[in-house]
């Protein structure tokens, strides 16, 4: 009974966080300042109401699954198999921030190869097609997954906590960064100025524009945070 209660609390918190972040972003860019930022809209058309409804419906299923992974992280028996530490003095402050960067790199690598696998035709039509129904992505597209895809997407946190020493606070920072970047990637607006994205360092950043191209054409731009793997395997399209 206690386990069910804890899961419900975790699920409620994740649900509130997700819809608070996506709701605020949607309200700002698609309602309040829609005309003021229209020049930054990647596709000039806007999603239809039925698209928002479909995406929100699938987001609820994703939240249920992601909550299961979050619940697992709090399970004492599972913790014994992880490298999560709670004593901040176990590692240096520098390592705390390095572990966040390392988690991001691991996630980016996992996502690229997992994402390309999702585009194998026999897998795509059963699993990844739901996400690609959002041809004109918006904040609510961020969690619009088939349940099996959500299960695969969320598994990266298990890989991270079991493969590298990481403070529980660093896990929290990484998860917050992950959802914020996911929302940005599906925003439908480009927030990064061209002078930055075209710079020597900026060209390695996977922008909302890159991911928007992926939602339109499907065959290119499989990366999440960076363009590294897309450049290596020549799957990058601007």
């Amino acid at each position: 009974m206690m386990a069910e209660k804890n899961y419900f609390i975790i699920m409620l918190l994740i649900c509130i966080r997700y819809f608070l972040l996506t709701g605020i972003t949607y309200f700002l860019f698609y309602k309040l300042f829609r005309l003021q930022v229209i020049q930054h809209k990647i596709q000039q058309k806007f999603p239809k109401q039925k698209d928002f409804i479909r995406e929100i419906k699938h987001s609820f299923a994703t939240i249920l699954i992601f909550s299961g992974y979050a619940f697992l992280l709090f399970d004492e028996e599972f913790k014994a198999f992880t490298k999560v530490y709670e004593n901040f003095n176990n590692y240096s402050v520098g390592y705390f921030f390095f572990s966040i960067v390392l988690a991001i790199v691991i996630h980016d690598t996992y996502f690229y190869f997992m994402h390309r696998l999702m585009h194998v035709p026999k897998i795509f039509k059963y699993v990844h097609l739901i996400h690609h129904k959002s041809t004109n992505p918006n904040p609510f597209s961020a969690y619009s997954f088939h349940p099996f895809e959500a299960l695969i997407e969320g598994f990266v946190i298990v890989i991270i906590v079991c493969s590298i020493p990481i403070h529980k606070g660093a896990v929290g920072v990484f998860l917050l960064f992950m959802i914020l970047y996911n929302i940005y990637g599906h925003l439908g607006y480009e927030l990064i100025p061209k002078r930055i994205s075209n710079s020597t360092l900026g060209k390695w950043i996977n922008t909302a524009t890159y991911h928007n191209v992926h939602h339109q054409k499907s065959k290119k731009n499989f990366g999440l945070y960076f363009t590294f793997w897309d450049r290596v395997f020549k799957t990058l399209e601007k």
Side-chain angles (χ1 to χ4, degrees), residues 18 66 111 131 138-139 141-145 153 176-187 211 224-225:
Y18 178 71
F66 283 5
F111 183 87
H131 188 61
N138 65 87
S141 307
Y143 272 15
S144 182
F145 302 133
E153 292 264 8
L176 180 60
F177 174 81
M178 180 173 67
I179 187 173
L180 289 174
Y181 209 90
N182 196 6
I183 292 172
Y184 157 68
H186 293 92
L187 184 60
H211 196 64
L224 179 58
Y225 305 120

Side-chain angles (χ1 to χ4, degrees), residues 54-238:
R54 183 192 70 253
E55 291 164 339
I56 290 172
K57 180 185 70 174
H58 288 302
S59 293
F60 275 113
T62 297
I63 288 168
L64 290 176
I65 292 168
F66 283 5
S67 298
Y69 282 116
F71 175 78
L72 192 64
L73 293 178
F74 286 99
D75 183 74
E76 291 299 328
E77 293 184 7
F78 176 72
K79 279 184 181 180
F81 296 97
T82 74
K83 295 186 177 183
V84 176
Y85 64 96
E86 298 186 8
N87 187 342
F88 201 81
N89 294 321
N90 285 2
Y91 292 85
S92 67
V93 174
Y95 180 79
F96 176 89
F97 293 103
F98 173 74
S99 67
I100 296 171
V101 174
L102 187 56
I104 291 170
V105 171
I106 291 172
H107 188 196
D108 186 70
T109 302
Y110 173 83
F111 183 87
Y112 179 84
F113 293 102
M114 175 273 297
H115 195 186
R116 288 203 69 176
L117 182 63
M118 289 282 186
H119 278 264
V120 172
K122 290 184 178 179
I123 298 176
F124 181 87
K125 66 179 180 179
Y126 293 113
V127 179
H128 197 43
L129 177 60
I130 283 178
H131 188 61
H132 270 275
K133 286 183 177 180
S134 303
T135 56
N136 189 7
N138 65 87
F140 297 117
S141 307
Y143 272 15
S144 182
F145 302 133
H146 182 283
F148 189 66
E149 179 174 359
L151 195 65
I152 297 172
E153 292 264 8
F155 187 71
V156 69
I157 192 62
V158 176
I159 294 175
I160 290 170
V161 300
C162 290
S163 60
I164 63 170
I166 187 166
H167 188 271
K168 63 178 183 179
V171 174
V173 173
F174 164 70
L175 292 176
L176 180 60
F177 174 81
M178 180 173 67
I179 187 173
L180 289 174
Y181 209 90
N182 196 6
I183 292 172
Y184 157 68
H186 293 92
L187 184 60
Y189 291 84
E190 186 51 76
L191 303 181
I192 299 179
K194 286 188 177 181
R195 67 177 183 276
I196 295 178
S197 60
N198 291 333
S199 67
T200 303
L201 291 177
K203 69 180 183 179
W204 298 98
I205 299 173
N206 190 33
T207 64
T209 301
Y210 284 140
H211 196 64
N212 203 285
V213 169
H214 175 75
H215 272 263
Q216 294 179 66
K217 300 183 179 180
S218 297
K219 303 298 183 182
K220 298 289 183 177
N221 301 354
F222 295 99
L224 179 58
Y225 305 120
F226 311 113
T227 62
F228 175 79
W229 292 113
D230 276 312
R231 292 181 184 277
V232 168
F233 291 101
K234 302 185 186 306
T235 55
L236 183 68
E237 181 174 333
K238 295 184 179 180

